[in-house]
Amino acid sequence: MVRLGVALAVLLASANLQNKNAADAFHNFQPNSLSHVREKVVSQQRRAEPNVQRRVASSSSNPEFNNNNQNGEIIGEAFNAARDSIANAVRDEPDTDEEMIALRQQRVQERTKTYTVTLPLVKSSFIEEKSQVLSMGMSACQVNKGREFEGLELDLDSLEFLKTDAIQEEEGVERLDEVSLSRRITGEFQGLVVSSVTKDGAAWAAGVRPGDIIKSTSATMGSQRWPKSSLEGVRSVLQSRKAVSTSIQFELQRPGEAVDNQFELTLTRPIGLELKESEDGYVEVTGFTDSASTLVQYAVKVGDRVLAVDSSLGDRMWPVSTVEGVISAVTSRLPGQQITFRFERPVDLNTPMSDEPVTIRSRKVTAATGAAPAVEQEELLRRCREVIKRYTVADEPTKEKFVNKYAVPGLVADKVVDALASAGSKVDAVTLSMIMCAYLSCRQPQKAIEVFEAAVGIHASGSDAKATVVIKGKNDVLLAPNVVALDNYTASALLKAHAMNGDLSSVRRVLAALGGRDDSTVDGLKVGSWPGTGPEGSLQPNTMCYNIAISALADSKTENSLYLAMQIFDSMTEPGRNGGVAPSKSLVTYNVIINALTSRRRFEEAIDVFYGMKRVGITPDKFSYTSLVKAIVAMSEGDLEEFFYDMKEQGVSPDPILFNTVIKSLCEQKKIVAAKKVIVQMESSGVAPDSMTYGLLMKGLLDTGNPSAALTLFETACSDRRTVVLTENVYLYTTAISAAAAVADHERALELLARMNGLGISPNLKTMTALVGACLASGMPDLAYDIYKRISKPDGYAMLQGIQALCGFRKVKEAFEILRSKESRAMSGKQRMFAYKSMMESTLERGDYDMARDVFGDILRTGAIPSKAIYESIFETLKLFPSRKNTGGLPPVVHLDKESSSKFQFLLFVLDSIMARNLPCEGPLYSAILSYGSQLGSLPRKLATLMVSARATDIASTKEIVQRSEVEITRVSSSWEELFLRYDELKSQRRGDEPSSLPPVSVRVNSRDMPKVLRSEKSLSYAKRKPRRQEI
């Protein structure tokens, strides 16, 4: 830079300008920056010499040079001399600007601890054959938001997915410490993390360690790197790159220890901050201007860093690393427009920031005790409202992500309440309503109830009890109660909170308190007297309060909830009438009642309320017709035309939601033809079918046993360029895979899954479960189980299919492990019984009666009662009753051999197990034992005959015999199986033909099974011989 300045000085001295105009012209020639000069000189050098001469000649033709040609020549010579001097200086001088930029980038990279490694790509079979080849030796796992670790890991050498809990510790392999990583990442982090590294692998040698974040990998072709956020993406690039290259690059980041030292502030211009760029690539706060607000001076400290500024369009935060970037973001806003900054407080400059919110204090206040001044309190309330408004979400789909772990509005409300309590401030009605709505958006009704009671000072249940909830801030300062905060908005939020909690008594009690009915009682508690209520009070419950109460009662599933909702509805004033105590009914009121009556299948009453609404002059809207359509479909399918005609008369245009509701109701009643007619009418009305329309019709076809038609409908929509976009969602593809499973076409199901992956649609749990079902239906249990293992968190139905897959290739012990695991608690009782049925069939098919005994015994040990399906599966699998078609209509002949004897013995075991549990033997099992014993003959027939005698004995008559004879009767055996095995040994101990000495048998026979039981017993009775005729 010094040599360049000397060259410029020589240029000025050699020019020897005598003409002021020429001097001014040369001054205009000078560039604004040294880099600009460098660029011009380099470009001039690259051009040919004649071009340079033409430029000089053209410069002399400038009007400013025409006054003195001699001066023009002097300028030309000076320019040429300066050009050569500057070119020589620039050629040898280092580019300090580029060095500064490179240094800054290097420091920013060191700050994020990002590095790049190149690892070998070799096939797993080649590694096994030649152990000297260095493998990658690394695996990765997925981390979702909220520091949630998925249960799968990807081995980057074998490209196999492994369950994390099934991986055993190995010597020489360092694994990820999830607790340590959770401290180094934020709750918003979502990406891939190195889960294990083999110490003798290439990754370890390159410096990769467990816990490093995988940012990007090499592309399939070339040296470019592409970001990666899923294990499937990494697996795909590794598979494809192995065919074209022997190495791959990874960009990784090693996160440091996470410290909660970041905070955000929303400010308005002028900001009042003095900033500078630090050597390590940060923008630091160096001081404050006179225009700095109180919030800035007390929340921001010298040395804090500006990390990001929100964009002028949208809510995204853009990182900044230069002062110019901050200035550009601020100057692009209008005066008074809010700007959000994200600051970071260095740990070495101050202690880490706590979770406590920033409290705005006056400079004259030395302690946070006592109530805040009125001006400061108003400023604090305004600031709290701004913060809550910023994090409040209006649309319902986005609210769902704020439930549970992502309850951001609820967390903001916690901070606001703590700040207000720490200042000893009173809460006004607007702020309290916003706080309660923030809690309700996160499904935290109890917090909304508690903050109402503490802020208003009235018991939130609506009773006459005193308020007990208090909220403490810093230094044990309490949130000051303020009765003025009670209005219709805060009362409506309180009603919503009680409704969300399912506390219908409090809903009715609060509504009564708002109406001034303090002399009444609700569920044994007296209604409280709330200030400003009653006929003469300023606070009167409006229609919205009544609508909330009606909706809460209508949504409840209790027995008398609909009756109470109708009571409140009838107590409201009809529209257009004055003098009523309660507010008048609105359109929303009628819609809520119609929807409640329709959902309870009280269709006639719903239609009556609808026509009553029209009689009082309220025009129905699309929500009214959507609520009513289910009743119309259920009452009469032919009324749909009149229904749509009435909509047209009222000026209501049908939308896809209404048509979908009609189609859904028709499909539920299996009226597929009528549903297709509605779709035709939908298109003729100018309403295009959406994804839900196709999904409902496909599901209706599946439910009516037409899976092929469902697949045809899906493929038709996929082949049409107008509707192909509608099919690109996980719901329709899952339904299509379910249809492929119904036709036992697993190849079609796998092809649909491949198409999903190609479109970037991630399969969900239902998709994978449907795929498992398709493989099971096609007789591919091994493939079904491989797919099941890829499900990280299976539900009860998925576990059932996994058990069925294991039973399909005779791995009943592994199925037992799933059924006895803690995760099997997700299975319902019906699903567990189906699992036992599959295990029972698998064991009996291969003649493993010992395992079958364990399965049946496990059913009884868990406290369950064997279902009818269990018994039927036993009979069918054992083939106790072969079809007579193969024997010409005659009874089949069954020989007594080892196999048939084992079958009969297993049936006796089942009977003994049931009797040991004091459960009655079902009629089908009893008749099966008798019929099979009769067919076998010999000892089985004898035991079947004794079983009939034991059943014929009445318990009461047996007790009478015992009392009369005063002789204790001892049973020869405690079980029928023992009697079968030791009959010759035990028959001498029987007391004649007394049935009481036999093992117990109690049979429960219903009317449907009675004929079968009677036939089986009759087959064991011997016909008496007819006496011979005596000859005379």
Side-chain angles (χ1 to χ4, degrees):
M1 297 296 289
V2 175
R3 297 165 67 181
L4 182 60
V6 171
L8 288 173
V10 172
L11 173 63
L12 294 175
S14 63
N16 194 13
L17 299 176
Q18 298 178 359
N19 190 305
K20 185 178 185 297
N21 293 331
D24 293 338
F26 183 75
H27 177 71
N28 293 333
F29 162 80
Q30 297 183 47
N32 296 326
S33 64
L34 299 179
S35 61
H36 195 183
V37 172
R38 183 184 300 109
E39 292 174 0
K40 283 183 175 289
V41 171
V42 173
S43 64
Q44 290 169 358
Q45 280 186 331
R46 291 177 180 175
R47 297 180 184 179
E49 186 63 24
N51 293 336
V52 176
Q53 294 176 357
R54 282 197 299 271
R55 282 202 306 275
V56 175
S58 64
S59 64
S60 63
S61 64
N62 191 298
E64 296 183 359
F65 290 87
N66 289 335
N67 296 331
N68 194 335
N69 294 331
Q70 184 179 0
N71 290 338
E73 294 176 359
I74 295 173
I75 292 300
E77 294 175 358
F79 176 81
N80 292 332
R83 183 197 64 191
D84 297 335
S85 300
I86 293 174
N88 294 330
V90 171
R91 188 182 298 113
D92 300 331
E93 181 182 356
D95 191 346
T96 56
D97 292 341
E98 293 183 359
E99 290 178 357
M100 291 176 63
I101 294 173
L103 180 61
R104 177 180 293 275
Q105 291 178 348
Q106 180 182 357
R107 286 171 176 169
V108 171
Q109 188 174 10
E110 291 175 355
R111 191 172 71 209
T112 57
K113 299 181 180 179
T114 302
Y115 63 97
T116 304
V117 297
T118 302
L119 302 177
L121 282 176
V122 270
K123 297 182 179 179
S124 57
S125 59
F126 188 70
I127 296 174
E128 294 175 358
E129 295 173 2
K130 299 185 178 182
S131 58
Q132 68 271 19
V133 177
L134 195 62
S135 64
M136 193 179 302
M138 184 171 68
S139 63
C141 67
Q142 181 89 30
V143 181
N144 298 325
K145 288 185 177 181
R147 301 183 178 92
E148 180 183 358
F149 292 83
E150 288 194 357
L152 288 179
E153 291 187 12
L154 175 64
D155 189 334
L156 301 189
D157 287 319
S158 64
L159 301 182
E160 293 182 353
F161 287 98
L162 305 174
K163 285 192 175 182
T164 305
D165 52 2
I167 298 176
Q168 298 180 355
E169 296 291 337
E170 297 182 13
E171 187 176 355
V173 177
E174 185 169 340
R175 296 196 57 77
L176 170 67
D177 185 358
E178 295 184 1
V179 177
S180 175
L181 180 63
S182 298
R183 293 196 300 264
R184 293 185 283 138
I185 59 175
T186 63
E188 294 298 319
F189 173 78
Q190 184 176 8
L192 302 177
V193 175
V194 177
S195 57
S196 68
V197 182
T198 305
K199 292 185 178 180
D200 57 355
W204 183 273
V208 181
R209 297 295 180 265
D212 291 354
I213 299 172
I214 300 176
K215 305 290 290 184
S216 62
T217 64
S218 299
T220 302
M221 301 290 292
S223 59
Q224 291 185 345
R225 290 195 302 269
W226 293 94
K228 290 294 180 290
S229 59
S230 66
L231 294 177
E232 285 291 347
V234 175
R235 186 172 184 265
S236 176
V237 74
L238 287 173
Q239 283 179 333
S240 56
R241 192 170 176 85
K242 278 184 178 181
V244 296
S245 178
T246 59
S247 64
I248 185 172
Q249 277 192 350
F250 286 85
E251 182 187 8
L252 300 105
Q253 177 182 346
R254 186 159 298 164
E257 192 70 20
V259 180
D260 190 9
N261 61 339
Q262 295 183 6
F263 60 99
E264 293 183 2
L265 289 177
T266 302
L267 309 173
T268 55
R269 294 180 57 187
I271 306 302
L273 293 176
E274 295 178 355
L275 307 174
K276 75 169 185 178
E277 297 178 10
S278 63
E279 295 181 356
D280 52 354
Y282 287 104
V283 178
E284 291 185 353
V285 178
T286 58
F288 307 95
T289 64
D290 296 335
S291 59
S293 63
T294 304
L295 175 63
V296 171
Q297 295 187 30
Y298 279 85
V300 182
K301 294 187 177 182
V302 175
D304 288 353
R305 301 162 177 168
V306 181
L307 298 182
V309 182
D310 66 342
S311 60
S312 57
L313 297 176
D315 296 332
R316 188 172 180 179
M317 300 291 292
W318 292 98
V320 291
S321 59
T322 62
V323 175
E324 288 81 0
V326 179
I327 295 175
S328 176
V330 174
T331 55
S332 63
R333 312 300 174 90
L334 297 174
Q337 188 176 0
Q338 294 182 341
I339 313 169
T340 300
F341 292 82
R342 179 176 295 160
F343 294 92
E344 180 185 62
R345 183 155 300 164
V347 179
D348 55 343
L349 294 178
N350 207 330
T351 57
M353 293 186 63
S354 65
D355 292 334
E356 302 296 333
V358 177
T359 304
I360 304 174
R361 297 187 297 271
S362 174
R363 299 178 183 177
K364 298 181 180 180
V365 179
T366 58
T369 58
V375 177
E376 183 180 343
Q377 177 173 307
E378 185 61 32
E379 175 66 19
L380 177 60
L381 291 173
R382 184 191 66 79
R383 175 62 185 152
C384 290
R385 289 194 293 269
E386 290 178 356
V387 173
I388 296 175
K389 186 178 180 180
R390 177 174 179 80
Y391 290 95
T392 300
V393 180
D395 56 317
E396 291 297 329
T398 311
K399 281 184 181 180
E400 295 299 325
K401 71 178 182 179
F402 287 139
V403 180
N404 299 328
K405 66 176 71 174
Y406 305 125
V408 177
L411 296 175
V412 174
D414 288 338
K415 303 296 184 183
V416 168
V417 171
D418 187 77
L420 293 171
S422 300
S425 175
K426 292 183 179 180
V427 186
D428 60 351
V430 178
T431 309
L432 178 59
S433 175
M434 294 178 69
I435 293 172
M436 295 178 70
C437 290
Y439 283 130
L440 293 176
S441 68
C442 302
R443 308 281 178 86
Q444 298 176 355
Q446 192 58 39
K447 287 188 176 182
I449 295 171
E450 292 173 357
V451 74
F452 174 88
E453 186 168 329
V456 180
I458 298 176
H459 203 281
S461 67
S463 65
D464 59 350
K466 294 183 178 181
T468 58
V469 178
V470 293
I471 297 178
K472 291 184 179 181
K474 295 178 181 177
N475 301 324
D476 292 335
V477 181
L478 301 180
L479 183 68
N482 182 19
V483 179
V484 183
L486 175 63
D487 65 357
N488 277 326
Y489 293 99
T490 55
S492 299
L494 180 63
L495 287 168
K496 289 180 182 178
H498 285 309
M500 195 176 292
N501 261 348
D503 190 356
L504 303 183
S505 300
S506 295
V507 170
R508 296 165 56 204
R509 205 177 294 114
V510 169
L511 192 63
L514 288 172
R517 300 193 298 272
D518 53 355
D519 56 345
S520 59
T521 302
V522 177
D523 290 345
L525 292 178
K526 191 174 183 298
V527 176
S529 177
W530 285 14
T533 59
E536 304 299 330
S538 59
L539 178 61
Q540 297 292 334
N542 55 15
T543 304
M544 181 174 61
C545 296
Y546 275 79
N547 289 343
I548 293 172
I550 293 174
S551 178
L553 291 167
D555 293 340
S556 176
K557 303 302 180 183
T558 55
E559 185 176 353
N560 61 340
S561 59
L562 184 59
Y563 171 76
L564 297 173
M566 292 300 296
Q567 271 191 337
I568 298 176
F569 176 77
D570 294 336
S571 67
M572 298 178 70
T573 308
E574 295 291 341
R577 297 182 183 179
N578 299 324
V581 178
S584 60
K585 302 172 184 177
S586 67
L587 176 62
V588 177
T589 312
Y590 280 100
N591 288 346
V592 170
I593 286 295
I594 292 172
N595 185 59
L597 291 171
T598 304
S599 60
R600 303 292 180 91
R601 305 189 65 81
R602 295 168 67 167
F603 302 127
E604 294 183 358
E605 296 180 44
I607 295 174
D608 291 341
V609 172
F610 176 80
Y611 285 109
M613 175 179 64
K614 295 177 65 176
R615 282 194 298 270
V616 298
I618 296 180
T619 303
D621 61 356
K622 61 180 180 180
F623 299 103
S624 309
Y625 287 101
T626 304
S627 301
L628 186 68
V629 68
K630 190 174 182 180
I632 298 296
V633 173
M635 295 292 292
S636 176
E637 181 185 331
D639 293 339
L640 280 176
E641 295 182 3
E642 182 181 352
F643 173 80
F644 285 111
Y645 181 77
D646 187 75
M647 285 185 62
K648 187 176 180 180
E649 278 190 338
Q650 297 295 332
V652 180
S653 300
D655 58 358
I657 297 177
L658 189 142
F659 277 110
N660 289 340
T661 305
V662 177
I663 294 170
K664 181 180 179 181
S665 301
L666 290 172
C667 290
E668 287 176 351
Q669 299 183 22
K670 298 184 178 181
K671 299 177 180 179
I672 301 299
V673 177
K676 292 180 180 179
K677 292 180 180 179
V678 173
I679 292 178
V680 174
Q681 184 175 0
M682 180 180 184
E683 293 176 342
S684 62
S685 301
V687 181
D690 56 5
S691 298
M692 185 61 69
T693 310
Y694 282 97
L696 291 172
L697 193 57
M698 288 175 64
K699 188 177 184 302
L701 291 170
L702 269 177
D703 294 340
T704 54
N706 294 314
S708 299
L711 281 172
T712 303
L713 175 63
F714 178 75
E715 296 296 349
T716 303
C718 290
S719 61
D720 192 339
R721 59 181 180 84
R722 297 170 299 177
T723 58
V724 64
V725 180
L726 302 177
T727 63
E728 295 176 355
N729 61 79
V730 67
Y731 177 75
L732 287 186
Y733 268 95
T734 302
T735 308
I737 292 174
S738 300
V743 296
D745 190 352
H746 73 286
E747 293 181 354
R748 182 76 170 275
L750 292 172
E751 187 261 338
L752 289 170
L753 182 65
R755 284 162 58 180
M756 285 182 65
N757 293 328
L759 293 171
I761 304 173
S762 300
N764 57 17
L765 175 61
K766 291 184 178 179
T767 310
M768 300 301 290
T769 306
L771 191 61
V772 174
C775 295
L776 285 175
S778 302
M780 305 287 291
D782 50 347
L783 180 58
Y785 185 67
D786 288 340
I787 298 173
Y788 167 77
K789 290 190 295 183
R790 297 176 183 270
I791 303 176
S792 57
K793 294 181 179 179
D795 59 358
Y797 185 66
M799 288 184 182
L800 170 61
Q801 291 197 324
I803 291 173
Q804 290 175 340
L806 286 170
C807 294
F809 55 97
R810 300 182 177 183
K811 290 190 176 182
V812 182
K813 290 184 179 179
E814 288 80 353
F816 251 128
E817 293 178 1
I818 296 177
L819 200 57
R820 292 172 177 174
S821 63
K822 294 181 180 179
E823 290 77 12
S824 65
R825 296 175 183 174
M827 299 179 67
S828 63
K830 187 176 182 180
Q831 290 170 347
R832 296 183 73 89
M833 201 57 63
F834 275 114
Y836 283 122
K837 176 178 176 292
S838 300
M839 295 164 65
M840 184 69 70
E841 291 174 350
S842 177
T843 54
L844 293 178
E845 280 178 355
R846 66 175 189 270
D848 190 354
Y849 295 102
D850 293 335
M851 181 61 71
R853 290 167 182 261
D854 293 338
V855 173
F856 194 83
D858 197 71
I859 298 175
L860 299 176
R861 278 193 298 271
T862 57
I865 299 176
S867 64
K868 183 180 180 181
I870 293 288
Y871 293 123
E872 290 178 351
S873 66
I874 293 174
F875 305 152
E876 292 176 2
T877 309
L878 293 178
K879 299 178 181 179
L880 299 181
F881 309 108
S883 176
R884 295 192 178 189
K885 294 181 181 179
N886 300 329
T887 59
L890 299 175
V893 178
V894 182
H895 300 284
L896 181 61
D897 52 14
K898 184 177 181 180
E899 182 181 357
S900 59
S901 178
S902 299
K903 292 180 180 180
F904 186 74
Q905 184 178 346
F906 178 75
L907 293 175
L908 295 178
F909 161 78
V910 172
L911 176 63
D912 293 332
S913 301
I914 293 173
M915 293 295 103
R917 272 283 312 275
N918 293 325
L919 296 174
C921 175
E922 299 296 335
L925 176 61
Y926 173 72
S927 60
I929 295 174
L930 298 185
S931 300
Y932 195 62
S934 176
Q935 293 177 21
L936 292 177
S938 187
L939 182 58
R941 182 183 179 91
K942 180 64 175 177
L943 258 67
T945 306
L946 295 175
M947 196 175 294
V948 174
S949 303
R951 176 182 178 262
T953 305
D954 186 75
I955 298 176
S957 61
T958 303
K959 289 183 178 179
E960 183 179 354
I961 295 173
V962 171
Q963 291 176 357
R964 185 172 63 248
S965 60
E966 297 182 358
V967 177
E968 184 179 356
I969 299 177
T970 305
R971 300 188 183 277
V972 296
S973 176
S974 59
S975 66
W976 290 97
E977 185 180 8
E978 182 185 8
L979 185 60
F980 176 71
L981 296 174
R982 302 171 55 195
Y983 181 79
D984 294 335
E985 178 184 350
L986 298 176
K987 68 178 181 179
S988 59
Q989 302 179 15
R990 290 185 56 237
R991 298 174 56 86
D993 293 331
E994 290 183 359
S996 58
S997 62
L998 297 172
V1001 55
S1002 175
V1003 183
R1004 180 173 59 189
V1005 184
N1006 55 30
S1007 57
R1008 182 180 299 178
D1009 299 330
M1010 182 61 71
K1012 187 183 295 185
V1013 171
L1014 293 177
R1015 285 196 301 270
S1016 60
E1017 290 182 344
K1018 185 178 180 181
S1019 65
L1020 295 169
S1021 61
Y1022 292 93
K1024 294 183 179 180
R1025 273 189 177 183
K1026 295 183 179 180
R1028 291 184 178 181
R1029 184 178 300 174
Q1030 293 181 359
E1031 296 181 0
I1032 302 176

